Amino acid sequence: MATAGFASPHVMWPGAGAEAGAPPKPAVEPLGKPDARAVDVASPTKAFQRQSVLLWGQEPIARGGRSASAASHAQSTLGNSSDDDLRETPEDFEMERKPAAAPQPEKLGTFKGVFLPCVQNILGVILFLRLPWITGQAGVLQASGIVLVCALSTFVTALSLSALATNGQVQAGGPYYVVSRNLGHEVGGAIGVMFYLGTTIAASMYVLGAVEAFETGFHVGGGMAGQTQVVSLLVCGALAMIVMVGVKYVNMSAQVFLAIVIFSIGCLLFGVFLCATGAYSGDPELPSDAFVVSGDNYAANWTEDDETGITPNFLWSVGLFYPSVTGIMAGANRSGVLLDAKRSIPLGTLGAIALTTGIYLAVVWSYGLSISREVLLEKKLIVTLVAWPHKTVVNLGIIMSCIGAGLQCMTGAPRLLSAVAQDGTVPFLAPFAAKNSREPVKAVLVTCFIAALPCLAGNLDLITPIITMFFLLMYATVNFSCFLITVLESPGWRPTWRFFSWHSGLFGFILCISLMLLISYTMAVVSICCVVLLFVYIRKQQVEKDWGDSIEGIRYQVARDQLVALSSRGTEFYHPKNWRPQLLVLCKLDGTGNPKKPELLTLAAMLKKGQGLLMTLAMVQGDVKTDYSTVEVYSELMRMHMKVGDVEGFPRVLMYEANLPTALLSAIQASGCGALRPNTVVLGWPNWGFQADAVGLPPASDAALTKKCDGFVGLLQSIVGCSKAVVVLKNGAQLEEYMAVGRPPAAAVIDVWWVVHDGGLLLLLPHLLRLHKAWKGCRLRIYSVINGDTERDGETVEQFVARITTFLNDVRISAELVPINISANSAFNAESSCGVPLSHIYHGIIESRGGGDIVEQVLEASYRPRAVTAGYDATGIGQAEQAPPMIDRDMDYQPVAPSAAPQQQQPGPSASVFQLADAFNAEMTKHSSRARLVVTNLPLMVEAVPSRTVVGFVERLTRGLGPTLLIRGSGSEVVTTFG
């Protein structure tokens, strides 16, 4: 079987067709490349293996699938393959593959690939400049609590991150990539922008830390007003220039900066230990009582900060310290270059968190138990004063570590921005996308500008809470992603890291959001509002990304659960109060795959206020085995037509081989699922193009036309037999013009010719149309058709109209009621030739809700009544066994032969039927020739009635009218007097 996108080998069984004594023929005859799969006849074993692959191996899967022969290539690409990667080639069947053209890059292990990058990103300026000060303010116990609370949030986040990272490769963008591929591009784009801002402002924090360490450690501050801000701006610009000139050198120097940080930490811890034991006195600037510690260092003693004027508390200190625990994403960002990412990311990340947390606790307890509170509060750079062997060593180490961390932020933030821009999730960031794998120069420049703004604050205490908010937002979304995917239990969720659950993800999400609100309620609300605004912006841009995110999984899960819940009620899914039109639009396509009657889609769009399901169905003839690609192309064309026409629904194109009526009827019955199956079929009235004979019928001599009539009427009968309502649009080309114009003129009117009540669909659809902008303000006129003298049944016309008006008021449909007496038309006899009295068209009257019988209105001549039963059901409207209008099957529809004295003969049955059609048509053209839309009942067709008669009747009934809807309800009530 030949499929699109694959070479199609002709497979021949071994020995088949070979002549005696002739050399064996190749088992495979390749197409296009004669030597691509030539079998080595000298090696029977190899030939047999080749045939085994082709005859019993996995069949290639067309349109994006893969066979087993491409498994190794699929593992190496992990979803990043192009269309060419998904297409099998003759080389895929070669037993011996050629070696790779280029050597694979060196893979990194846990220590070098994850642990060290995480440690470098976690340890930072807060450790040197603020942690001893926080210890003096909060005391040893609460300072330890601050460290542990922050570490707890990152620990739980690391569990979720490990699960996400071991479920697939994390690519450019790191945490943004994780969030966007799991929560959707709207959430991912919004959080990605906020995380970019947090990373950029973190660069400002490190710049301010380096400047503060330089000015304090070397006593160069206070020379002029704004000196800190000016120096910070210069340093920020210098870092940006370094990043633009040599990013590779920044990456190469990362380990050097990390070594400096580790060395500086060792110096300050060793120095405070020596000072506590009396072996080292520290810097001469230390007061003599610096190491006289009283017992109050265990408890908190919050005092106002002289530099900022802020009196801290526990939560404020959490916000100040939190940037010191960030950086846990560094290892996951490198999953593509790890030797064993499934093992390295969890172990390396958790190991880095454990080490850094231990370092922070060691600093808190060593400094809190060795140095007096007054010195801890007064000397924010106390770590340099007690460092061994000299404060200059640690001072330079702090400056160098801040410069190194700032370079890492200035390097990572532009690439994060470029990754967001490259994905196209945030359209206004498109200019910052890197092109042709070049350095994102524009992103670096805008990052430098943004990083320079917080430097104007002149103190890192003022900007660290902002960084905390942005990082907590990112960590909250990572935890929520893990929680959501775990709860959905998607088959694609197969992480190798098992030490997590939905409980841990939910706890991490709640913890991060709670910390945000507790640290600064105002700042947290502002941050969340920014995310919401970005989300709304991205959603309005209608950017489409097919990333298989969890939001799609949520929609599927909710839809599935609700569909099962609806279907659990049985076959009757809807109470009349909840009934809505579930439309199935039958579209006929031309040779290019475009709808021949696009007005059907326009009509469906106009009925969208019914809040029902819409499906379109088109049939294409062909062989499914070889021509199915046509279905995909035509389906996409149908989807585009629906999108342009603002039609929300589900297009479907099916292929049939020979029998269109059977295939179409099967497709109609199989459409939908459970409660979401169509209850109304919409189709167009064909353009017959015939000249009527003397009686008004299509000519019987035209066999093709007769066959066409039989097929169309048979389709209508089959739809009715499926208990579905039918809506037939005739002369509907003007509907597209109505849609384009928009609001209708003031005099526009919709005329409903109400011949029979068959569930209320004839009244409900015009009401729904008037809710659309193209019909807004149209008047609704209902012509209540009666015939003969109603006083024969003891009721005047006025009483009859009053009953119908009461009914319309009860069902809450605002309309102007106009009674029409067909018997007043001189072209119609009051007595038909078959002896059926035409006393009046409505058999019975509509009773009010207060009591009495409600019987269905049926036509007694061409609309044959059935027995009715009285009573009320739960809907508030009496049910009756009835049939909507149908042409009498007892009439003889053969044309009447001409006679010498026709004026002495009564009109034949066919003549009376078409006289009825003419009578209706005369009144309809008289009153509704200028109507924007005419709506009336579709007569029920029975098998005994020739299809030519049905077609002729409808043609004469609607002659001279504009857009016309012929509606036949399913018999079920769709309107109710109950609220």
Side-chain angles (χ1 to χ4, degrees), residues 554-592:
I554 294 176
R555 295 191 186 108
Y556 173 82
Q557 191 71 25
V558 171
R560 179 228 177 234
D561 293 343
Q562 296 305 314
L563 182 59
V564 171
L566 284 173
S567 303
S568 64
R569 298 180 54 188
T571 57
E572 296 296 332
F573 301 114
Y574 291 103
H575 188 279
K577 289 192 297 182
N578 296 324
W579 190 93
R580 55 195 65 200
Q582 311 269 74
L583 303 180
L584 176 63
V585 182
L586 303 184
C587 295
K588 188 174 183 180
L589 305 181
D590 59 18
T592 60

Side-chain angles (χ1 to χ4, degrees), residues 298-381:
Y298 287 95
N301 185 17
W302 306 105
T303 58
E304 181 180 345
D305 183 18
D306 296 335
E307 295 182 10
T308 61
I310 298 175
T311 302
N313 53 37
F314 182 85
L315 293 174
W316 187 90
S317 299
V318 170
L320 176 63
F321 177 75
Y322 198 85
S324 286
V325 297
T326 60
I328 61 174
M329 303 286 185
N333 294 347
R334 304 186 178 195
S335 63
V337 297
L338 296 177
L339 184 63
D340 186 3
K342 301 174 183 179
R343 178 178 179 273
S344 297
I345 292 177
L347 295 180
T349 304
L350 294 175
I353 293 175
L355 175 64
T356 54
T357 303
I359 291 174
Y360 293 146
L361 291 176
V363 171
V364 168
W365 284 86
S366 61
Y367 278 73
L369 297 179
S370 303
I371 303 174
S372 65
R373 178 189 300 273
E374 292 75 12
V375 175
L376 291 175
L377 296 178
E378 181 183 356
K379 305 289 185 180
K380 288 186 177 181
L381 207 58

Side-chain angles (χ1 to χ4, degrees), residues 121-160:
N121 281 269
I122 293 174
L123 296 176
V125 63
I126 301 297
L127 166 65
F128 300 105
L129 300 184
R130 291 296 181 271
L131 185 55
W133 180 82
I134 292 175
T135 303
Q137 290 278 3
V140 172
L141 297 180
Q142 289 199 32
S144 300
I146 291 171
V147 173
L148 293 177
V149 167
C150 296
L152 177 63
S153 68
T154 57
F155 173 76
V156 178
T157 304
L159 297 180
S160 300

Side-chain angles (χ1 to χ4, degrees), residues 815-871:
E816 174 187 347
L817 185 62
V818 181
I820 294 292
N821 194 330
I822 294 296
S823 65
N825 192 306
S826 60
F828 187 76
N829 247 342
E831 197 79 16
S832 73
S833 61
C834 58
V836 180
L838 302 178
S839 58
H840 57 83
I841 290 179
Y842 287 98
H843 180 76
I845 51 179
I846 297 180
E847 296 289 338
S848 64
R849 193 173 59 182
D853 296 342
I854 293 184
V855 294
E856 306 300 321
Q857 294 73 39
V858 294
L859 189 61
E860 293 183 349
S862 68
Y863 298 93
R864 184 181 181 88
R866 295 173 60 183
V868 297
T869 57

Side-chain angles (χ1 to χ4, degrees), residues 23 75 152 255 276 286 338 435 601 692 703 713 829 919 929:
Q75 292 176 356
L152 177 63
Q255 295 183 11
L286 284 173
L338 296 177
K435 298 180 180 178
L601 297 178
V713 175
N829 247 342
S929 59

Side-chain angles (χ1 to χ4, degrees), residues 192-204:
V193 172
M194 302 300 287
F195 187 63
Y196 160 75
L197 293 176
T199 306
T200 303
I201 299 175
S204 306

Side-chain angles (χ1 to χ4, degrees), residues 585-588 597-605 682-685 727-729 732 735:
V585 182
L586 303 184
C587 295
K588 188 174 183 180
K597 292 182 177 292
E599 59 267 20
L600 294 175
L601 297 178
T602 303
L603 175 63
V682 180
L683 66 164
W685 184 261
V727 177
V728 181
L729 176 61
L735 293 185

